[in-house]
Amino acid sequence: MLFKDFSRDINPHQAYRIKKLKNRLRTAESYEEWKSIAFRVDEESGAQEWKFDNSSPYFDAEIISHRLSLLKRYRFQKRIQDLMYLVREGLTYDIANIAHPMLFAATYVGTKKIIEDYVTEVSESLAYIASAECDCLSLTEKIDFFNHCKTAYGQPALMFSGGATLGLFHTGVCKALTEQDLLPSVLSGSSAGAIMTAMLGTSKPSDILPLLKGENFFSEAFHFRKLSEILKGNGGLADVKHLKNFLIENLGNITFEEAFKISGLHINVAVAPYEASQEARIMNAYTSPDLLVWSAVLASCAVPILFPPVRLTSKRHDGKLTPYMASTRWVDGSVRSDFPQEKMARLYNLNYTIASQANPHIVPFIQSDIQRYRQDMLSWPERIIRGQGKIITKGVMDFTRGRVGNLPPVRRLLDHGFGVFNQGYYGDLNIVGNYSLRHYTYMLQNPRPHLFKILQREGERATWPKISSIEIHARVGKTIQHCLELLNYQHDPKKKATEFITV
């Protein structure tokens, strides 16, 4: 096996050094510190040598080597038309399967050297075409070329799961990505993830890092009702008014359309109708521009049993607040669509997704990339049990809910349960919390500074090992965007370059 080869020739002294370095990795206080230690682990373990070996069952090194050679030759010889043709021909982030997760699981930092060289060369070729040195193309021709590239290449999205107070984990993910300028402009969230999405989406870009310090999160979002109140019915275990006040205080009466104008971020909030006769939806500036953001987030946080279903509120052209689909009540989107990547892909031309997973009922069952993509025979029993277990569970629930139509509460409960089992919980890149029993005591606590710091740091440390793969995936797309901004600015200097960023 590939990953066992690294330790084959390690002596006891090396093993001791590697163990000490890995312990330091777990307590690193910044990405720079983590990355420096991670490089040393790769060197000590011999994993660094793997980068220079082009043989791999996970990608086609021959295609990449050939294209890399041509790109360098055409750029050096200034054969612009040939260079543009070659770039357009392979304008996808996973050409020859270079984005396969196993190519980023062998080392702590980076991947195969030939893949890193290829991505760098594509970026440099694009930058050369946009530069003044490339004088055989007019400014208009360059802008047309990069607009085509932007559409062809697509863009990433970041998806935040639910998780109640454990959703503070997402703040660490955002902080780590923002500090490395890797936060996508398309975001989605359900339940606690919807709060994170909305907080970002209603903030100016310059306010995002201050926001992630946490002051806005410290509030009495949860207030549990007395037993006597619960027995009376008409509500869940928690008082929805406290959560509503928390959301209005932090988000204001801003619509999705207004939020986009403030932040430039495309935010999506997943909600599900209380009655299963309708499909789950994502609310955003395209599908529901007049809907109040806090209203969608409140609905997305309406976890069955914990909170009662809620109605949505929109804002008319004259500023008056009115009901949105007045006859429909809504609940937590994560019960049917925790990660709505297919629906977003149709709206935003997505090429890959990053999933931040903090849901307490999902995290224990999430597999690592190595576990998911193992090809040895020893992995077959577990894969069969997992696959068949899911199919049988869904089949039993589907059979049962079809025969309890005369019992609406039972049918509704089975509908929600089926939704939980019937959806996917993985993105193309996955950032997952590492939970112990202690974390389940945090779930329904109100956010406090000490808890915020604990969960944010866990989010950061879970993100740091993924940054090198995210950066490689994002580099070509960011180069296209920067070139297009520069060219548009040259075309009309009176406008700010940021005005030309379109998605």
Side-chain angles (χ1 to χ4, degrees), residues 191 194-195 198 243 247 251 269 271 292-302:
S191 194
I195 298 178
L243 179 59
L247 295 174
L251 304 178
V269 174
V271 296
L292 296 179
V293 175
W294 70 256
S295 174
V297 175
L298 182 65
S300 192
C301 290

Side-chain angles (χ1 to χ4, degrees), residues 181-198:
D181 191 27
L182 292 172
L183 185 71
S185 62
V186 178
L187 308 172
S188 79
S190 59
S191 194
I195 298 178
M196 185 73 255
T197 299

Side-chain angles (χ1 to χ4, degrees), residues 248-463:
I248 294 176
E249 177 185 347
N250 286 281
L251 304 178
N253 287 330
I254 296 174
T255 67
F256 279 96
E257 187 174 55
E258 292 167 343
F260 175 71
K261 292 176 181 177
I262 292 170
S263 66
L265 298 175
H266 291 273
I267 60 172
N268 299 263
V269 174
V271 296
Y274 186 50
E275 303 296 337
S277 58
Q278 299 183 59
E279 293 294 323
R281 290 183 58 182
I282 52 171
M283 302 305 195
N284 54 49
Y286 291 134
T287 62
S288 50
D290 302 318
L291 182 65
L292 296 179
V293 175
W294 70 256
S295 174
V297 175
L298 182 65
S300 192
C301 290
V303 182
I305 302 177
L306 182 61
F307 289 110
V310 301
R311 301 189 190 278
L312 297 175
T313 305
S314 62
K315 185 194 293 185
R316 287 195 334 193
H317 60 88
D318 58 1
K320 184 178 179 180
L321 303 187
T322 59
Y324 180 93
M325 295 184 65
S327 60
T328 304
R329 294 184 298 166
W330 305 82
V331 295
D332 177 10
S334 65
V335 298
R336 290 188 227 159
S337 187
D338 203 23
F339 292 152
Q341 42 198 327
E342 291 183 8
K343 294 179 180 179
M344 290 197 300
R346 291 194 287 268
L347 288 173
Y348 302 111
N349 187 29
L350 301 184
N351 52 11
Y352 66 92
T353 56
I354 304 166
S356 177
Q357 181 57 261
N359 248 324
H361 64 287
I362 300 299
V363 167
F365 303 100
I366 290 287
Q367 294 179 296
S368 69
D369 290 332
I370 293 176
Q371 291 171 325
R372 289 177 67 202
Y373 294 101
R374 282 176 62 188
Q375 298 177 346
D376 58 291
M377 292 183 63
L378 292 177
S379 68
W380 291 6
E382 182 182 355
R383 293 170 68 178
I384 292 171
I385 291 171
R386 276 178 168 265
Q388 294 303 311
K390 184 174 181 179
I391 292 171
I392 292 170
T393 302
K394 285 166 56 179
V396 170
M397 294 182 73
D398 195 32
F399 177 86
T400 306
R401 69 180 185 151
R403 284 155 181 77
V404 293
N406 58 339
L407 298 171
V410 177
R411 172 61 189 258
R412 193 175 294 117
L413 184 63
L414 287 170
D415 284 338
H416 292 326
F418 184 81
V420 170
F421 275 95
N422 195 41
Q423 58 178 296
Y425 292 98
Y426 292 97
D428 297 298
L429 289 155
N430 299 283
I431 302 170
V432 185
N434 182 21
Y435 290 168
S436 63
L437 291 176
R438 171 174 52 89
H439 286 79
Y440 291 86
T441 66
Y442 297 156
M443 278 181 55
L444 299 178
Q445 294 183 31
N446 281 300
R448 291 290 180 266
H450 75 284
L451 186 56
F452 177 85
K453 290 180 181 178
I454 291 172
L455 293 173
Q456 184 178 76
R457 182 45 54 93
E458 289 183 3
E460 288 183 89
R461 287 179 175 148
T463 307

